[in-house]
Amino acid sequence: MPDIYQVNEAYRNKLRAREDSALAEMRRTYTVLQADNLQRLEEITQAIEEAQAAGEDVTGLNDFQVRLAALNEQMARQVTEFAPRATDIASNGQRSAIQLSLDMQESLVRAVAGVPDSVSMAIDLNWNRLPVEAITNVVGFAADGSPLAALYEAIGPFARDHVTIGVAQGLNPLQVARRMSKTYETLAPSRAATIARTEMIRANREAQRQTFESNLSIVKGWSRVSAGDVNVCPVCWALHGEPNAVANVVPSHPNCRCTVIPLTPTYAELAGLDPDAFDETPELPTRDEQFAMLTEAQRRQVLGPSRYRMWETGTSLSDFGRVVPNDLWGPQAVVVPLRDL
């Protein structure tokens, strides 16, 4: 029987594969919508550069500014049209993440409790497997008029205002063109991807938690497990390994990669058997043990110079993060500002 580390890593990898699939579809959709506009933007940018090279004055109101303003308006409209398609992709991604959660929970419980392969969870331990339809409140976040849909709808005005502000700041046409390029080639699709990734993991975790709630005779709580590498933020290191009651919704933040594992009694305890009849299941490293596996340079990169000095002099990793309530999105994991430490 695989240990909890192997099962959890397999779970994390499968979730990442589903994220990658959804994000690839989102990129293809966005590229198709903006392909002609991005080509026009490249042509205008090139024309401005050639005019500058020829010694022409391209400052002030001129044909370039007019062309850029019209193109920017068109590109912002395309981003707005992208919003409902992105919402659909994110919603389908949520369903996929929920299905994965429902498919993997039994394996996680087996690994944590040390349930033998010969034991049927459904028959011997009364494991309740939820249908996808039971998690409709999670997928509902991607419906029209939902907070998720509103996030995607806001990308269009963000793009339009972003360039308008640049013009108001007195940027020349080449600077405006480059700002537009950054906005439409990088920032807008990046925002869309962040929303999709964040909501997929949130849906996946909530499906886990609701499955745990349906199996309170087996699952006593949950624990957050970070990816344990140099890309983990201070708040996820702070929350790594913390035990929580099943009723507690898992806190999240944009682009979080943490997974959740169940907290259970041993199989011997669940089955009322002699506790010495089975080997103890290996545990995941603690927060401090996992952090110590990083090199000194990596630990400095994770915490930054000020927090690293505080950690070296005795401040606990747990002090660097906290959970704050959010009426719209649920509990949020945030880094504690230096001034509050």
Side-chain angles (χ1 to χ4, degrees):
M1 180 172 57
D3 62 29
I4 180 60
Y5 180 82
Q6 291 174 315
V7 174
N8 191 57
E9 283 304 296
Y11 186 15
R12 191 192 304 278
N13 291 337
K14 289 180 180 180
L15 180 58
R16 176 53 60 88
R18 282 161 172 75
E19 290 177 2
D20 290 345
S21 177
L23 298 185
E25 182 181 359
M26 196 166 285
R27 284 192 295 270
R28 287 193 298 270
T29 302
Y30 182 82
T31 299
V32 169
L33 279 173
Q34 291 284 24
D36 289 343
N37 290 327
L38 289 171
Q39 178 62 35
R40 289 173 59 197
L41 178 58
E42 183 177 346
E43 291 170 355
I44 295 174
T45 302
Q46 184 175 349
I48 297 172
E49 291 174 338
E50 291 174 352
Q52 281 188 324
E56 295 182 26
D57 182 7
V58 297
T59 61
L61 182 62
N62 54 40
D63 179 61
F64 292 131
Q65 290 280 27
V66 173
R67 292 168 63 188
L68 285 172
L71 180 58
N72 182 68
E73 185 68 24
Q74 171 64 23
M75 296 182 84
R77 281 199 300 269
Q78 293 290 65
V79 173
T80 300
E81 292 176 13
F82 171 66
R85 303 189 194 187
T87 302
D88 287 342
I89 294 170
S91 181
N92 290 333
Q94 284 184 317
R95 290 187 179 90
S96 176
I98 288 170
Q99 185 64 64
L100 175 65
S101 174
L102 300 180
D103 290 343
M104 292 291 294
Q105 294 318 298
E106 183 176 328
S107 296
L108 282 169
V109 170
R110 280 184 176 277
V112 171
V115 178
D117 294 336
S118 59
V119 173
S120 168
M121 292 282 290
I123 296 174
D124 298 330
L125 295 179
N126 298 316
W127 177 260
N128 297 313
R129 180 184 171 91
L130 293 177
V132 173
E133 293 74 19
I135 323 291
T136 53
N137 63 311
V138 177
V139 179
F141 267 76
D144 289 342
S146 70
L148 179 57
L151 276 180
Y152 279 118
E153 290 166 2
I155 297 177
F158 150 79
R160 183 180 298 110
D161 294 342
H162 189 69
V163 179
T164 301
I165 292 172
V167 174
Q169 292 173 339
L171 301 182
N172 65 45
L174 185 57
Q175 290 172 310
V176 172
R178 286 173 175 166
R179 179 170 289 192
M180 285 175 62
S181 177
K182 181 178 180 181
T183 296
Y184 292 110
E185 289 192 79
T186 305
L187 295 181
S190 176
R191 278 195 171 194
T194 294
I195 294 168
R197 181 181 292 112
T198 302
E199 285 311 292
M200 285 182 68
I201 189 66
R202 189 188 67 82
N204 179 274
R205 291 170 179 160
E206 180 60 11
Q208 281 185 275
R209 194 191 66 79
Q210 291 193 25
T211 300
F212 296 162
E213 279 195 319
S214 296
N215 291 279
L216 293 177
S217 63
I218 301 174
V219 181
K220 304 305 180 184
W222 56 264
S223 179
R224 185 191 193 99
V225 180
S226 75
D229 58 32
V230 69
N231 295 316
V232 175
C233 66
V235 66
C236 289
W237 277 111
L239 299 177
H240 178 99
E242 287 293 311
N244 284 265
V246 172
N248 292 347
V249 174
V250 184
S252 190
H253 68 80
N255 288 325
C256 182
R257 297 179 297 147
C258 292
T259 54
V260 171
I261 61 170
L263 301 177
T264 76
T266 65
Y267 172 66
E269 292 171 326
L270 289 170
L273 303 174
D274 182 350
D276 296 328
F278 298 91
D279 294 334
E280 291 187 7
T281 55
E283 297 181 352
L284 289 170
T286 66
R287 171 175 49 220
D288 292 330
E289 289 171 343
Q290 188 75 48
F291 195 62
M293 295 179 189
L294 301 179
T295 66
E296 179 181 349
Q298 290 173 329
R299 293 194 293 267
R300 287 181 181 274
Q301 182 177 334
V302 168
L303 296 179
S306 297
R307 289 185 178 84
Y308 185 77
R309 286 193 297 270
M310 296 175 68
W311 175 76
E312 277 193 311
T313 55
T315 301
S316 171
L317 285 174
S318 62
D319 293 332
F320 296 135
R322 64 187 175 201
V323 177
V324 298
N326 184 296
D327 293 338
L328 192 61
W329 297 104
Q332 301 292 293
V334 300
V335 176
V336 176
L338 285 171
R339 64 177 179 275
D340 295 340
L341 291 169

